[in-house]
Amino acid sequence: MDMKKLMRPASLVVIGASDKAGMVGGATKSSIKGANSDHVYYINPKRDEVNGRKCYHALSELPEVPDCMLLCTPAHTIAGYLEEGGKMGIGAAVVLASGFSEERTEQAQALSEEVKAICLKYDIALCGPNCIGIVNGIDNVCVTANNDDTMSLLQDDNRRGLGIVAQSGYISSGFNYPDCDFLAFIVSAGNSIICGLEDYMLYFAKEPRINAIAAYVEGIKKPDVLEEALKIAAENRKPVIVLKAGSSQKGGFAAASHTGSLAGNYRTIQSIFEKYGAIFTRNLQELTSTARMFAVLDGNFPKKATMGGVNFSGGENTLCADTSERVGISLPDFAGKTIETIKTVVPPFATAANPLDATTTLFREKEKVETLFRCVSEDPAIGLMAVGTDVGIPSEVKDYTCAEVLTEMRGRNEILPTVIIPSFEKPRNPEVRIPLEKAGIPVLSAGIYAYDAIRHLMDFVNYDYTKVTSELAIPDAAKTTASKEEREAAKQKEKHALSEAESKEALAKEGVPVPKQVLIKTDADLAEAVQNFSYPCVMKIDSEDIPHKTEAGGVKLNIQNAGAAEEAYFDILESCKAYKPDAKLNGVMMQEMVKGELEVLIGITCDPLFGPFLLCGMGGIYAEMFKDTALYPCPLNKEEALNMLKSLKIWPMFQGWRGAAPLDTDALTNLMVSVSNYAVKHKNDLAELDLNPVFVSDNGVCAADALIVLKQ
């Protein structure tokens, strides 16, 4: 499959060309706006010309074999045109029509399968169906239903820009508005029968003219392709900004209905992206404002994850301080030299502090503004300079002065990476904004969205790809190389729970600490065990058919002597037989009483696409009540495991709460890595794993209970 023919076609044929208003008319007009207009051809069997341009009646009449087809015809015609084009050697196609897998009818599904088979047979790179198409702003190529009057193409041949892919035509088109000199590609992925969101992200990750990637995600179909895209982007320090739809139950259903793909578990997909340093946003405004910032910065990122705020009013300065603290942006104190220089330019009543209220008067004096920006940029504690000033219409003298000084100093490489934070959300003055953005200084959204974008920038600066495990444990049946038979076989597997004894035995082989225990199967075993075991102890049923022992009366705690142990043995068997008469009872396990200062939960949940994820959090009887957990894809190393623990609300308890000794996080992270290793080895047959509780003390850890569920 040649993605270049889809993303950068040298020649194009528009099938179903029309001059009527609407998507088809827009696609027809847009196609000739690009740099390849001399090699754009129209086909309409009922027309001789459209928009004054010659119209052919069939593919066989074309003077050359085009790289790409833009199909503007109804769904039932698509397969025929793809078959004919494939035979000719056309390597790519964009299908606008709906009526495929998103409709979920047998007829629509069959049509999707037919189109897919044809594309695979002829190795056609297909965008869609049910999409708006592709705008290539770098090469000035339009294969899209967007009206040509709304499109913004880059005019500078050396300009790099943002690559956008969305599983929504409307959202993709929302990025494309006039005067956006940072948009390199906009892709509406549609149903993704052949080329999916993951393929476009991989193309963007490899394309050197793309400086940042933005994605609106409803569902994932190719986990291994996404993994490759995220790895390449992380290795090359290329920002990836994501908005994942379907965080709610109804949102997940709506996403699946929209594109015909599974929405996927929101939290698991979030953890996948964040593992590779991608930025996860919560709404469209946050996505667009953050993506715009990264695109305009164009790789000129801060060396430190700290900010120096320079504002022109006291109210704005106070809001800068408050909002920075709220979202987690570091505002270190200015160095003494910086403070002394600031005092030479600001009025006597101004306080030289970070953030700085430099006052409106100063912003009108070019030399003082330049001195101020230079001293902040030279402060060794500051990584990013954020200037609070409006660039609205009409602009004030201070706005023009500020923009002039910043663009000149940026051209001489005399300032830190810099962003502009407007006070209010209103139309931006292009006379101020455009020179700033051409100089690589983003004009952010106002208010909280600006500070959220900056926080994302700081997170990106702090991310170190070399400290994470670079691969995922994707099940073989979920990879793009898997056959249809392999995928179906994986779906047919049934779950089978191991007993606690079997679960602990399997995990102990991986290095997971488990308590001393003995399985009592007969009266003779009981007689020997009660005499030789240490007290106090715990006794509990061992049965793969009773995973929740407490509810069955299958657990007895704090047993002090042999007599109590014998009584507990028979009570447990009687209770469990009554609770589930058909359960297979392997016996009763006698286990040493484990103690620890804190109970935690360590588990594995398995995603059908991405494989095992490690879960950690507060354990014991309060695990489900407080839901203080962290989730991370396997495999993981000790540093990743420690970061999971640090993200928990109970992290202060690990450090030694109120004079208590610090807990053994080294032993706990070793256990977490061991559990992850087991899950990776069994990625094709593990369904779930649960260690609850794991007791953590100041000198070790121990998994008191274990459950492994396999797929067979």
Side-chain angles (χ1 to χ4, degrees):
M1 185 170 66
D2 188 353
M3 288 293 288
K4 183 179 178 182
K5 289 187 175 182
L6 180 63
M7 306 297 283
R8 304 175 60 187
S11 53
L12 173 70
V13 57
V14 181
I15 301 177
S18 172
D19 50 14
K20 294 181 180 179
M23 284 184 64
V24 176
T28 304
K29 291 176 65 178
S30 298
S31 65
I32 58 173
K33 181 182 179 182
N36 63 349
S37 60
D38 290 342
H39 295 274
V40 174
Y41 308 102
Y42 290 168
I43 287 182
N44 189 323
K46 299 178 181 179
R47 300 283 295 272
D48 294 324
E49 62 87 18
V50 172
N51 295 332
R53 194 178 183 96
K54 180 177 179 179
C55 198
Y56 297 89
H57 295 164
L59 283 168
S60 59
E61 297 178 8
L62 298 180
E64 63 175 315
V65 177
D67 283 345
C68 182
M69 295 181 282
L70 175 54
L71 291 161
C72 305
T73 55
H76 69 273
T77 67
I78 300 302
Y81 279 118
L82 287 172
E83 180 72 34
E84 185 179 358
K87 288 179 179 178
M88 291 175 59
I90 299 176
V94 173
V95 177
L96 306 182
S98 58
F100 292 86
S101 57
E102 81 282 354
E103 292 196 356
R104 298 185 179 275
T105 65
E106 289 187 13
Q107 183 179 1
Q109 295 292 333
L111 190 55
S112 296
E113 290 300 319
E114 183 183 9
V115 166
K116 181 178 180 179
I118 293 169
C119 290
L120 292 175
K121 179 168 65 171
Y122 295 110
D123 204 23
I124 296 173
L126 177 72
C127 176
N130 188 27
C131 73
I132 289 180
I134 300 170
V135 177
N136 175 344
I138 293 182
D139 301 299
N140 290 356
V141 175
C142 306
V143 192
T144 176
N146 270 336
N147 187 289
D148 65 328
D149 295 330
T150 67
M151 289 192 299
S152 176
L153 302 180
L154 301 184
Q155 303 302 317
D156 184 353
D157 290 340
N158 298 317
R159 181 73 169 164
R160 298 178 352 127
L162 176 67
I164 300 162
V165 57
Q167 290 175 319
S168 162
Y170 173 75
I171 289 175
S172 69
S173 63
F175 276 90
N176 195 27
Y177 45 93
D179 298 324
C180 292
D181 195 28
F182 58 85
L183 299 178
F185 280 89
I186 304 175
V187 178
S188 164
N191 293 8
S192 303
I193 288 178
I194 296 294
C195 296
L197 171 134
E198 308 89 343
D199 297 295
Y200 301 115
M201 291 185 68
L202 179 58
Y203 180 88
F204 292 158
K206 293 179 177 179
E207 171 57 68
R209 299 174 300 172
I210 299 290
N211 62 17
I213 302 169
Y216 168 75
V217 182
E218 292 187 348
I220 299 296
K221 294 181 179 179
K222 302 177 180 179
D224 47 341
V225 178
L226 179 66
E227 175 190 24
E228 184 182 1
L230 293 175
K231 284 170 66 174
I232 292 173
E235 289 168 354
N236 293 312
R237 297 292 291 162
K238 185 175 292 190
V240 177
I241 307 97
V242 178
L243 173 60
K244 170 67 175 77
S247 60
S248 64
Q249 182 176 357
K250 289 190 175 182
F253 178 79
S257 300
H258 182 204
T259 62
S261 62
L262 293 176
N265 183 285
Y266 184 90
R267 198 175 176 195
T268 60
I269 292 179
Q270 179 179 4
S271 69
I272 290 288
F273 279 104
E274 291 181 344
K275 176 185 178 76
Y276 292 99
I279 294 155
F280 224 69
T281 61
R282 297 160 295 182
N283 52 63
L284 274 174
Q285 181 64 36
E286 188 179 353
L287 171 69
T288 55
S289 59
T290 304
R292 180 182 189 124
M293 175 192 67
F294 276 107
V296 174
L297 283 171
D298 195 17
N300 182 34
F301 304 133
K303 300 294 190 296
K304 301 181 182 70
T306 59
M307 187 177 88
V310 179
N311 302 290
F312 72 90
S313 79
E316 185 177 45
N317 200 59
T318 303
L319 290 173
C320 174
D322 288 346
T323 313
S324 294
E325 181 175 316
R326 176 150 50 103
V327 303
I329 298 171
S330 174
L331 294 168
D333 292 338
F334 286 136
K337 181 180 178 182
T338 306
I339 292 173
E340 291 305 314
T341 304
I342 290 172
K343 288 180 178 179
T344 67
V345 294
V346 300
F349 59 82
T351 302
N354 185 18
L356 172 66
D357 172 15
T359 74
T360 305
T361 303
L362 179 139
F363 272 75
R364 297 190 178 98
E365 300 182 52
K366 183 176 179 181
E367 290 184 4
K368 289 185 176 181
V369 172
E370 186 171 326
T371 299
L372 176 60
F373 289 160
R374 180 176 287 109
C375 76
V376 172
S377 292
E378 291 175 351
D379 191 298
I382 306 302
L384 176 78
M385 184 164 64
V387 180
T389 184
D390 273 321
V391 292
I393 301 174
S395 294
E396 301 178 31
V397 172
K398 65 176 178 60
D399 301 320
Y400 286 105
T401 302
C402 180
E404 182 181 356
V405 172
L406 287 173
T407 53
E408 289 177 358
M409 295 184 74
R410 178 74 182 97
R412 299 191 299 266
N413 199 29
E414 293 179 349
I415 56 172
L416 289 170
T418 300
V419 298
I420 303 295
I421 304 178
S423 302
F424 299 98
E425 196 63 75
K426 55 186 176 182
R428 310 290 186 231
N429 186 346
E431 294 179 358
V432 179
R433 178 184 63 80
I434 291 176
L436 285 167
E437 292 189 336
K438 283 187 176 294
I441 300 172
V443 178
L444 303 181
S445 297
I448 187 64
Y449 293 111
Y451 290 93
D452 280 339
I454 293 170
R455 176 181 54 80
H456 290 315
L457 175 60
M458 299 310 181
D459 290 342
F460 182 80
V461 169
N462 282 327
Y463 176 77
D464 187 350
Y465 175 70
T466 65
K467 293 184 178 181
V468 303
T469 49
S470 61
E471 69 276 359
L472 299 174
I474 297 171
D476 293 339
K479 296 180 179 179
T480 53
T481 53
S483 66
K484 185 177 181 180
E485 290 73 21
E486 289 173 317
R487 295 177 189 274
E488 289 300 319
K491 292 178 183 178
Q492 300 305 317
K493 288 184 177 181
E494 296 183 357
K495 292 183 179 181
H496 168 69
L498 301 185
S499 69
E500 180 178 348
E502 293 170 329
S503 298
K504 285 180 175 175
E505 181 181 359
L507 290 169
K509 292 178 181 178
E510 287 292 336
V512 175
V514 297
K516 177 186 175 183
Q517 58 192 36
V518 60
L519 182 62
I520 302 171
K521 298 181 179 181
T522 64
D523 291 352
D525 293 340
L526 176 64
E528 181 178 356
V530 298
Q531 295 302 319
N532 297 326
F533 213 81
S534 300
Y535 297 94
C537 73
V538 177
M539 296 184 74
K540 46 190 172 179
I541 195 68
D542 186 71
S543 171
E544 54 268 37
D545 296 327
I546 305 178
H548 301 291
K549 306 175 185 67
T550 303
E551 291 88 335
V555 179
K556 300 288 185 180
L557 303 175
N558 203 27
I559 298 170
Q560 297 292 328
N561 52 55
E566 288 184 358
E567 183 179 349
Y569 173 79
F570 292 108
D571 284 349
I572 289 172
L573 289 177
E574 183 178 353
S575 295
C576 290
K577 287 176 182 177
Y579 176 79
K580 194 171 184 180
D582 60 343
K584 177 186 176 183
L585 306 182
N586 302 317
V588 175
M589 191 151 54
M590 198 172 193
Q591 175 185 300
E592 68 175 321
M593 196 86 174
V594 182
K595 295 181 180 180
E597 282 69 40
L598 183 65
E599 296 180 27
V600 300
L601 161 70
I602 303 295
I604 294 289
T605 178
C606 291
D607 183 87
L609 287 179
F610 291 103
F613 288 73
L614 187 82
L615 182 76
C616 74
M618 178 181 286
I621 60 175
Y622 299 111
E624 294 183 7
M625 179 185 296
F626 292 105
K627 294 182 171 61
D628 180 22
T629 60
L631 188 73
Y632 198 82
C634 301
L636 74 163
N637 58 37
K638 289 193 64 172
E639 184 161 348
E640 291 169 291
L642 183 61
N643 287 334
M644 290 181 70
L645 297 178
K646 289 180 178 179
S647 72
L648 299 173
K649 296 175 183 177
I650 60 171
W651 170 246
M653 299 178 70
F654 287 99
Q655 297 176 293
W657 183 250
R658 292 194 172 184
L663 301 183
D664 195 344
T665 54
D666 185 64
L668 182 56
T669 53
N670 281 334
L671 181 148
M672 293 165 71
V673 171
S674 295
V675 171
S676 170
N677 291 340
Y678 175 86
V680 172
K681 289 179 182 179
H682 297 272
K683 65 180 183 179
N684 294 317
D685 54 21
L686 180 64
E688 58 188 90
L689 185 155
D690 186 25
L691 301 181
N692 186 24
V694 173
F695 286 97
V696 187
S697 68
D698 58 359
N699 64 348
V701 296
C702 188
D705 203 348
L707 172 66
I708 293 175
V709 180
L710 299 177
K711 294 179 291 186
Q712 297 178 336

